[in-house]
Amino acid sequence: VNPTSSEHMSQEAFEAAAKLATEDKTGPLSKISNEQKLNLYKHYKQATTGDCNTAKPGMLDFAGKAKWDAWDGLKGMSQEDARQKYIDAINEYNK
């Protein structure tokens, strides 16, 4: 298997999963918990941006701090691994 081809397929699957996550307004993905949303968020950010590159939000920005902490916790994970974990989570939550 050509690694470039495999990576391309992974990118296409990731984009399809991200589209499903944003467009599912009434299905299973619309009913996931905040913890599951945070899991998707951190893997999406790691997959698309890489390691966390923003300043930590202030103490009173609870949602922003939770998101930042989650994403920063993936520091060092490859973007390819993050894409796959995002796809896996979408598949799990979309049952």
Side-chain angles (χ1 to χ4, degrees), residues 26-42:
T26 59
L29 290 174
S30 68
K31 298 169 180 65
I32 63 174
S33 70
N34 285 340
E35 186 177 318
Q36 290 169 317
K37 289 176 186 175
L38 197 57
N39 186 49
L40 290 176
Y41 172 83
K42 70 183 182 183

Side-chain angles (χ1 to χ4, degrees), residues 47-69:
T48 57
T49 305
D51 288 343
C52 185
N53 60 1
T54 61
K56 189 172 188 171
M59 285 179 27
L60 297 180
D61 181 359
F62 299 112
K65 187 174 175 313
K67 291 164 88 172
W68 189 93
D69 286 341

Side-chain angles (χ1 to χ4, degrees), residues 11-91:
Q11 182 63 33
E12 285 180 356
F14 173 76
E15 289 171 6
K19 183 176 180 183
L20 179 63
T22 58
E23 292 181 355
D24 183 11
K25 304 295 184 209
T26 59
L29 290 174
S30 68
K31 298 169 180 65
I32 63 174
S33 70
N34 285 340
E35 186 177 318
Q36 290 169 317
K37 289 176 186 175
L38 197 57
N39 186 49
L40 290 176
Y41 172 83
K42 70 183 182 183
H43 286 103
Y44 181 85
K45 292 296 284 184
Q46 189 71 16
T48 57
T49 305
D51 288 343
C52 185
N53 60 1
T54 61
K56 189 172 188 171
M59 285 179 27
L60 297 180
D61 181 359
F62 299 112
K65 187 174 175 313
K67 291 164 88 172
W68 189 93
D69 286 341
W71 179 20
D72 192 56
L74 296 183
K75 192 169 281 182
M77 177 183 280
S78 74
Q79 289 181 280
E80 176 66 24
D81 285 349
R83 275 195 297 270
Q84 189 57 54
K85 288 195 178 293
Y86 182 88
I87 293 165
D88 292 346
I90 288 290
N91 289 334

